[in-house]
Structure formats: C-alpha cells, structure tokens
C-alpha cells in the first residue's frame, strides 16, 4: 500500500503525506474529518467490506508545529529557483542543474541561501572561481532565504502531481 494521502491540520495547512494504512488508522480512531462526497478516494478491499479512503484528510484538532528552518541543500536551492539557471535563464532538470556559490568558497563564501544559486553547467564553468562581477555575469534574481511556507507549498505541489499523473 504505497498510495498516499495528504493530511491537513485543522486550519487546512498541510502537515504530512501519509500512507493509506495510517489514514485508515486515523479514520478508525475518529481523529479526522472525512468528506464522503469527495470524488477522489482510494478503495481498500478487506475480507468483509470495501473501505473508501479520501485522498485528503483534515485533523479534528490543531497540531502546533515547532518552527523549522528550511535547510539550504542542493534540492531546495533548485526548488527555490524553479530549476532555472540564474545567469542565462534556461530551464534545467535534476541532471543538468548545478549549484553555484555566488561568492566562491575559496574567497570566503558560505553554503547559505543567499550565496547559492541554480546554474547550468556552462554558466558555472564560465564563472569559475570568481564572483559574478569579476566574471562579468549578471544574476537574474538575488538569492534569498525562502519563507516558512516553502516546504508546505512544495508538499502540496508534489502531492497534486503524483495523484494527477
């Protein structure tokens, strides 16, 4: 059962993507709201009956989440920049995208949100161990740390893409 269900907090903010098994447990313990009219659901066949598991569940209570800072890793940098080279503007994919340090690490630049951008291999090679100014290259967008909702937005997009495919 690798089918996925989106679990929303009481205020409809995404909490997690869970398995159908976990969703069934939450439903049987009466911890979630179930929209029986929803056209999107999974049918789980047991020995005695067929159970309809909605693709989206809403908790009946509010879960307070601790503030988590989003990690500036390779995948999150690509997501922030929408897989677009920040120098020439071409669309990239996971295999063709590289991470470029705006101020090279050898010149004191760190691996932070404001110092890393998505780059194509050609632009990254052209820029080399120089700053954009030294390489006479212009950034399309100034790199910045994403907002708190960044991961939730991505979680919703991922869930929708997987379930509409």
């Amino acid at each position: 059962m690798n089918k996925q269900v989106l679990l929303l907090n009481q205020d409809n903010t995404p909490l997690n993507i869970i398995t159908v098994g976990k969703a069934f447990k939450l439903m049987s313990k009466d911890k979630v709201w179930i929209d029986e009219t929803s056209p999107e659901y999974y049918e789980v066949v047991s020995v005695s009956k067929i159970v309809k598991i909605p693709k989206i569940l809403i908790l009946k209570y509010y879960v307070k989440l601790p503030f988590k800072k989003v990690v500036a890793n390779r995948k999150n940098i690509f997501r922030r920049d929408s897989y677009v080279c920040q120098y020439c503007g071409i669309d990239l994919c996971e295999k063709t995208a590289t991470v470029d340090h705006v101020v090279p690490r050898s010149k004191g630049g760190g691996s932070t949100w404001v110092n890393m951008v998505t780059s194509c291999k050609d632009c990254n090679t052209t820029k080399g161990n120089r700053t954009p100014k030294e390489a006479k290259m212009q950034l399309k967008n100034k790199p910045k740390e994403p907002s708190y909702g960044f991961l939730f937005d991505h979680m919703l997009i991922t869930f929708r893409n997987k379930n509409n495919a």
Side-chain angles (χ1 to χ4, degrees), residues 1-16:
M1 275 202 213
N2 61 356
K3 295 177 181 167
Q4 297 178 328
V5 175
L6 180 62
L7 181 63
L8 301 177
N9 213 341
Q10 189 180 33
D11 64 352
N12 286 338
T13 57
L15 274 179
N16 205 356

Side-chain angles (χ1 to χ4, degrees), residues 10-77:
Q10 189 180 33
D11 64 352
N12 286 338
T13 57
L15 274 179
N16 205 356
I17 296 174
I18 59 174
T19 64
V20 171
K22 177 75 174 172
F24 180 76
K25 287 178 187 176
L26 289 172
M27 288 171 56
S28 64
K29 293 178 181 179
D30 198 33
K31 292 186 175 189
V32 290
W33 297 106
I34 302 166
D35 182 8
E36 307 235 353
T37 62
S38 174
E40 295 187 16
Y41 60 86
Y42 297 112
E43 284 189 349
V44 179
V45 181
S46 70
V47 177
S48 58
K49 62 182 175 178
I50 296 174
V51 180
K52 290 183 179 180
I53 310 276
K55 290 186 178 183
I56 300 174
L57 293 174
I58 303 170
L59 284 175
K60 289 185 175 182
Y61 53 90
Y62 184 79
V63 175
K64 186 175 179 184
L65 295 174
F67 178 75
K68 288 186 179 180
K69 205 166 187 170
V70 182
V71 179
N73 60 25
R74 179 181 174 83
K75 198 171 238 180
N76 285 340
I77 296 293

Side-chain angles (χ1 to χ4, degrees), residues 7 21 25 37-38 46 48 54 69 73 78 91 105 114 121 127 137 144 147 162-163:
L7 181 63
K25 287 178 187 176
T37 62
S38 174
S46 70
S48 58
K69 205 166 187 170
N73 60 25
F78 295 161
D91 290 329
R105 288 183 288 183
V114 295
K121 291 177 184 175
K127 181 180 163 288
M137 297 173 77
K144 63 179 184 175
S147 64
K162 282 185 179 179
N163 285 292

